[in-house]
Amino acid sequence: MASSPVPRVVYGGKRSGGARSPSSSDLFTPAHEENVRFIHEAWQCVERDLRMSGSERGLVEEYVEKMPNPSLKAFKPFDLSDLKRRNAQDAKKS
């Protein structure tokens, strides 16, 4: 039995004036909303603990490697936003 090819949707790059934009119910499933709520609540706890770190609770402490990786000894932190901005400017010059 020969199978026919599956039709593909091809986007031509033009939008018709009648195209409807997706509503929030189309974009966010209940599982997505639950995940966002969980992350938000967990982050609120982290921020609360950071504010309280000066008090007697001391829930927040800095992590320091016990055995630092020797190949990272020369690593110097850099600003990713600045790097992205410079790359974008370099691309415009080309």
Side-chain angles (χ1 to χ4, degrees):
M1 172 191 297
S3 63
S4 61
V6 177
R8 294 186 326 170
V9 176
V10 178
Y11 177 67
K14 295 182 181 177
R15 290 184 173 236
S16 64
R20 116 181 147 79
S21 60
S23 68
S24 63
S25 63
D26 293 336
L27 297 175
F28 304 126
T29 64
H32 171 83
E33 291 177 359
E34 181 181 349
N35 288 339
V36 170
R37 196 169 24 259
F38 172 78
I39 291 169
H40 175 76
E41 290 170 1
W43 185 248
Q44 295 302 312
C45 291
V46 169
E47 288 184 327
R48 184 193 67 233
D49 292 346
L50 284 171
R51 284 191 302 270
M52 297 175 69
S53 66
S55 69
E56 70 281 350
R57 291 183 68 186
L59 296 174
V60 179
E61 72 180 68
E62 182 181 3
Y63 175 79
V64 179
E65 288 277 348
K66 290 181 177 86
M67 303 270 303
N69 186 335
S71 64
L72 295 176
K73 189 172 186 168
F75 176 77
K76 292 185 178 128
F78 55 91
D79 184 351
L80 287 174
S81 298
D82 183 48
L83 180 64
K84 183 177 178 182
R85 189 173 27 260
R86 282 189 278 143
N87 286 343
Q89 290 172 350
D90 291 346
K92 288 180 183 177
K93 291 177 185 178
S94 304

